[in-house]
């Protein structure tokens, strides 16, 4: 199902799609929003149909509109393409209700980290239906989960490797290391440094095979979580330096 990686990393599975014209409807996940002038926002949204796009929207007089554009919120909206690169959003609304994500500090911190990571990884105009479905389903899972929340970001990063093209071959055996330079599990720890030792390699394999509802059964200490996050950061860093620009990575390490 996965392919062996070449040194330097494989191409992304996403593909460029033409920008939509005229008026259209879309659904997407909010990756990043920043204020533009006094009453506007520029919002970067990864849409199901059109890939990642940049939009401009007006804030209401009560500033309530900004609340729709929080990290990983899923929004339905009408849009229209003007002459510039920025499309305009009209009539935005939440695609589905999030009951905990906006109010739980742990879940909102995870959402901040993941949205910033995805913002760095997904390029403008790049569409990937499988990746979009994975993200939307993961947002719903994170919002509703109880036990195991502290492991969610590790699970997401592991599963995301499949959609980024970074996943290793499925040749794991107990006690194997993970050589992520060559994209394979190995019986011996490689001499180079681009590898996870057996403990982290085993956790990688377990997380990859787990469902969200199983994460509460994976007991990890804070030190184990930090170590695994460092290993995953190295794995992503081998393929792209984008992860080193994620400012919330430090915050995540401090909380977990």
């Amino acid at each position: 199902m996965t392919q062996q990686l070449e040194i330097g990393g494989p191409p992304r599975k996403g593909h460029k799609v033409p920008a939509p014209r005229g008026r259209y409807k879309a659904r997407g996940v909010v990756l990043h929003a920043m204020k533009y002038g006094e009453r506007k926002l520029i919002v970067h949204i990864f849409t199901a149909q059109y890939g990642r796009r940049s939009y401009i929207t007006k804030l209401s007089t009560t500033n309530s509109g900004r609340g729709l554009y929080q990290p990983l919120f899923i929004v339905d909206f009408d849009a229209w393409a003007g002459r510039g690169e920025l499309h305009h959003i009209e009539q935005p609304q939440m695609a589905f209700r999030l009951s905990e994500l906006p109010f739980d500090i742990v879940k909102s911190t995870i959402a901040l980290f993941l949205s910033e990571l995805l913002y760095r990884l997904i390029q403008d105009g790049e569409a990937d239906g499988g990746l979009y479905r994975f993200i939307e389903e993961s947002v719903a899972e994170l919002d509703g989960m109880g036990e195991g929340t502290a492991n969610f970001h590790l699970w997401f990063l592991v599963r995301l490797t499949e959609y980024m093209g970074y996943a290793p071959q499925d040749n794991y055996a107990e006690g194997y290391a993970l050589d992520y330079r060559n994209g394979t599990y190995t019986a011996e720890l490689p001499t180079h440094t681009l590898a996870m030792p057996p403990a982290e390699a085993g956790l990688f394999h377990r997380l990859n095979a787990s469902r969200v509802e199983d994460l509460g059964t994976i007991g990890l200490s804070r030190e184990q979580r930090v170590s695994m996050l460092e290993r995953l950061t190295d794995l992503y860093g081998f393929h792209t330096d984008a992860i080193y620009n994620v400012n919330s990575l430090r915050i995540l390490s401090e909380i977990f």
Side-chain angles (χ1 to χ4, degrees), residues 6-27:
E6 299 294 336
I7 295 176
R12 278 278 292 110
K13 293 182 180 180
H15 59 279
K16 294 289 184 179
V17 294
R21 298 182 179 181
R23 294 185 177 274
Y24 60 96
K25 294 181 180 293
R27 167 176 290 193

Side-chain angles (χ1 to χ4, degrees), residues 151-173:
N151 294 330
F152 183 87
H153 62 295
L154 301 177
W155 172 86
F156 187 94
L157 286 173
V158 169
R159 293 297 303 275
L160 184 63
T161 61
E162 176 78 20
Y163 299 94
M164 291 292 108
Y166 307 160
Q169 295 183 58
D170 187 18
N171 67 320
Y172 176 77

Side-chain angles (χ1 to χ4, degrees), residues 107 145 249:
K107 292 182 179 181
M145 73 183 302
L249 181 62

Side-chain angles (χ1 to χ4, degrees), residues 8-9 21 94 135 169 185 189 192 197 201 227 231 250 255:
R21 298 182 179 181
M94 293 290 291
I135 296 171
Q169 295 183 58
Y185 293 98
L189 188 65
H192 61 75
S227 176
R231 297 290 183 179
R250 177 185 57 81
I255 289 181

